[in-house]
Amino acid sequence: MAALYEGYTLCGLVPTQNPLFSGILGIELDGDVDHVLVTDSSRSVTVYKVSDQKPLCSWTVKQGQIITCPAVFNTLNQEYVVITDDKVVRVWKDDDVNIDKAFKATVSADVLRVLSAPECEPVVLFRRGAIRFLDSLLAAPQQPIEEVLSEEEVIRWSTLIKAEQPIVLFSTEQRGEYFLYAQRFNPNTLVKHRFETEPSLSAPLSFSAACRNGSIHLFYLYSNGNLYESVLRIRSSANGAQGVQALPRFLRLSLPVGQGEQMSGAAVVLDEAHLAVVRFSHPSAGASKDYLSIWNMHFQTLQASKEMAGWIYSQLWCYYGKLYIPHGKILSVIPFECQKSSLAAAMGKLKQSGQSESKSCALASSWTQPYSDITQTPGNSSNLTNRQTVSNLKTKSSALTVDQLAERIKTGAVDDVQSLVDEFVCRTPQTDLQLEAGRVALELVSRSQTDNNFYPHSAFLLLLQTPYLCHSVCPELLPLALEKKDFCVCQIAFQIFPDIPEAVTCACLKAILSTPDSEMETVNLDTENMMFMKALTQSGCSPEEEGCQPNGFCPPALEDGGPEAPVASSSKPQRDPLALDMSCPVGLHKSALLNEVLQTAYSDRLLLPHLKDLTVPQVILFLQYLQFLYLKYSHEAPTHIQAVRIPTMSQIMDWVCLLLDAHFTVLVMVKEAKRVVSDLHKFVRSQVKLYAELVKIEGSLQGLKKSKQSEDFGLYSIEVIELF
């Protein structure tokens, strides 16, 4: 069984002159499971943090230079490698700002790809088939490079497999024949295989390889929808002198192609049973090809499919449970899950054996023992208890299906529906609940939208506690909760939904800011978040210690107009000029909800237009709250407060910048905003001054770090450390 979850946009695509090319040269790992390295045709290499959909760093080559293969990350020495203009190898580190100033070397032959795998030294594959390890090539860049391929042979695909030893695979085409080369390094052998060909078929559309059970499994997809598998041993006794070897194959899957053959497509093997495919028709969608699908190769069944907006390019990557697919004008990330393959799961009929047995026992008892016999016990009070027992037995023996529950939701009372949903969630196997939780939520939302007297708060909370609900599954849930002022549901949704759109985030923010604190106090919220805000508002310096500023905060200079202004001498400690602003401008309940908004994932470009819908009083209030958090964090970081979910200083500053960007002109002109904007400016200026002073002593701090301490101090010693 497999599932495709709601995706999100990682970045936009670079416009190209070729409408069939996405503009992406490749996507590689960046040493972190949450980072990917994207190389595009606009001369740039960018590292993205996938969970936040944000670029972390980017490098661009000069105008006139061309990136000719995807950049890779060398996990052994934490360096990036890319090829420009076919022959120039460029190597740089994460802290290098300008790629042109980093190391580069020109080699003597055209490079096709740099291949990389975790914990393996990168391998350079030349256009004519020669292979070199990166370090040995950079040690002598102008070394002669042999030609392995014949004159008309062209490389179509290549990869590096990490097994007992690194193995390079690359396929070639020559006059309608197709070959596979396997380069092993211990011993150093290159074996050439010939693909079995059919007169009516063109070149394979896509390749995917995986190492499993001591062998390399190569999958290749043809235009007629046939997916073949060939198996190569990791250790081979063959050598290049034995000539071309046959490559046995067997058919693993036949995909539907509709009318004629498919001219483009891509396939990636997810595990030993499942395959992800793009550009091949959905069996029930006619001629449409805008689908991403997951197929079970063992049982030839379609497990999951997702229609993608816009043209799907014939490119597909898979890393750590996520599929990366360019389509239309964006690059999307689609999380997926594949469960252990079985015939029952492939047919969608997998059940938990424990559940089935308990249901069978309940049914057997109800058939063999009439309910009338159970209830015939003496005593009125005993009869009441037994009637409740009978009711429970009837419920257990006839657990509702999702269709029956949907019908009951349409007409049942709130209390009855909430009880039925509770029972349904408790009794439904997890494999079924994964698909049915969303439908139940949709039915509840639909009834609530049409019936003003119906709102099953407890049922929504129960469904939110399952791991199978997200905004994309039930997009009307959050707007409904806002309409009903159910901020408890909003808070839980913000904690667990990874895909809340920016428009909904701003709508929730606007509703929170516009609701009076007195009304908020009646809402039941997460106690942990409430305790964090209570502790944060009560923390701070005592009156006797107001002059101490543990994080470099300098109130006198901040209050004065310039950084060099003299500090007035006084026997009393200087009072923080922003002390009046150290009180939280909103109540505990509202602050807890605002903290959830601050921690929500978003895209700057998509969020900014919606922030402009906030009114000026709402913007000022939100800025005042962000200022409160900023001052509290700067005076004393809340590390002593135990809480799982708290906003970080980076998140606070990001929201401050977004608000200022969205409302800068209004904030400059509105008199009420002058104080908060001026205070933020002064405080940031004081922090900049602090960091500037820290930079001055950076060399001294590094000297202390590098200084070698004496091994034997004895009872008493004096050590002189000279700092330069």
Side-chain angles (χ1 to χ4, degrees), residues 200-425:
S200 59
L201 290 180
S202 57
L205 299 178
S206 178
F207 291 88
S208 183
C211 181
R212 187 169 63 247
N213 300 327
S215 300
I216 298 174
H217 297 256
L218 177 67
F219 299 85
Y220 39 103
L221 179 65
Y222 282 94
S223 58
N224 63 354
N226 286 345
L227 178 79
Y228 292 95
E229 179 182 359
S230 296
V231 180
L232 301 172
R233 289 182 295 176
I234 293 178
R235 295 187 176 275
S236 176
S237 59
N239 54 64
Q242 290 183 296
V244 181
Q245 300 183 8
L247 185 65
R249 69 178 187 182
F250 57 94
L251 183 65
R252 287 302 306 272
L253 181 66
S254 293
L255 298 172
V257 294
Q259 300 295 328
E261 293 184 348
Q262 186 66 28
M263 300 309 297
S264 62
V268 173
V269 173
L270 307 179
D271 58 23
E272 63 181 11
H274 296 93
L275 177 84
V277 185
V278 295
R279 297 285 304 147
F280 274 78
S281 301
H282 188 283
S284 61
S288 174
K289 298 180 178 62
D290 297 329
Y291 273 86
L292 166 66
S293 305
I294 295 181
W295 288 79
N296 188 304
M297 295 183 291
H298 287 175
F299 304 110
Q300 309 280 308
T301 57
L302 177 65
Q303 296 290 282
S305 64
K306 187 178 185 65
E307 187 174 5
M308 309 299 293
W311 174 270
I312 293 185
Y313 302 92
S314 299
Q315 292 176 298
L316 187 63
W317 295 269
C318 176
Y319 297 114
Y320 293 111
K322 296 181 179 67
L323 293 168
Y324 298 81
I325 172 172
H327 62 100
K329 297 182 179 180
I330 61 175
L331 171 64
S332 290
V333 182
I334 311 294
F336 70 92
E337 181 182 9
C338 294
Q339 298 179 359
K340 186 176 180 180
S341 177
S342 66
L343 181 59
M347 300 305 295
K349 299 184 179 297
L350 181 63
K351 302 288 183 182
Q352 292 184 356
S353 58
Q355 292 283 348
S356 300
E357 291 173 1
S358 63
K359 290 180 180 179
S360 298
C361 293
L363 288 172
S365 63
S366 66
W367 290 337
T368 57
Q369 186 175 8
Y371 292 113
S372 57
D373 295 339
I374 300 176
T375 58
Q376 292 177 2
T377 56
N380 295 333
S381 61
S382 179
N383 287 339
L384 177 61
T385 304
N386 288 327
R387 281 196 297 271
Q388 293 174 346
T389 304
V390 171
S391 177
N392 293 336
L393 286 175
K394 287 182 178 180
T395 302
K396 291 180 181 179
S397 64
S398 57
L400 290 176
T401 65
V402 66
D403 294 326
Q404 292 171 335
L405 179 60
E407 291 299 322
R408 299 286 290 273
I409 289 174
K410 294 177 181 179
T411 57
V414 174
D415 293 339
D416 294 339
V417 169
Q418 291 185 148
S419 299
L420 291 173
V421 172
D422 188 359
E423 178 190 351
F424 179 80
V425 171

Side-chain angles (χ1 to χ4, degrees), residues 28-37 47 72-76 78-80 116-119 320:
E28 301 285 341
L29 290 177
D30 181 39
D32 189 304
V33 297
D34 196 28
H35 294 176
V36 291
L37 185 64
V47 177
V72 299
F73 183 73
N74 185 352
T75 58
L76 298 181
Q78 305 296 300
E79 291 179 337
Y80 299 95
S116 178
E119 304 304 324
Y320 293 111

